[in-house]
Amino acid sequence: MSQAPDHLLYTKEHEWVRMEGNTAYIGITDFAQSELGDIVFVELPDIGATIQSGETFGTVESVKTVSDLYAPITGKVVKVNAELNDTPEKVNEQPYEGGWMIAIEVDGTEYQGLLSAKEYQAQIAE
């Protein structure tokens, strides 16, 4: 089983969050991409869109299935990883680096309710 990097925060739905100031980078975990299989398409929101915690913000399509992406926190989309349009397999190859999906501007400390790497590892081990 892959290790969840300690510097990230996680959701029970297998998204990760990397905080950089008041910007949250969001992607899916290595566990999620391995469960999905080869990713062939990623649908993401437009820059300027507002996403709400717990609501769908996009989809990931693999050779096996289409899965919704759930917003781990609320915020306004300030960056979208456009590279995923041409190379969606980056989500498989580098889920925590080149495979990031969106960056949102957040207000407040909602991210503090997310799971630590240790808590996430315990959940996927069940």
Side-chain angles (χ1 to χ4, degrees), residues 9-87:
L9 299 167
Y10 301 88
T11 69
K12 289 183 165 72
E13 292 76 34
H14 310 290
E15 280 86 22
W16 59 260
V17 175
R18 181 179 76 235
M19 293 303 301
E20 292 184 6
N22 69 336
T23 302
Y25 286 81
I26 299 169
I28 63 169
T29 65
D30 189 46
F31 176 81
Q33 71 77 23
S34 66
E35 292 288 301
L36 288 169
D38 293 338
I39 294 171
V40 295
F41 182 73
V42 180
E43 182 182 73
L44 299 171
D46 294 326
I47 290 175
T50 298
I51 63 170
Q52 295 292 322
S53 177
E55 292 184 5
T56 304
F57 72 84
T59 57
V60 175
E61 189 175 327
S62 70
V63 292
K64 289 195 245 177
T65 187
V66 176
S67 291
D68 287 334
L69 297 166
Y70 294 97
I73 48 183
T74 299
K76 181 178 165 189
V77 178
V78 292
K79 291 184 195 168
V80 174
N81 189 348
E83 285 184 32
L84 300 181
N85 291 334
D86 297 325
T87 54

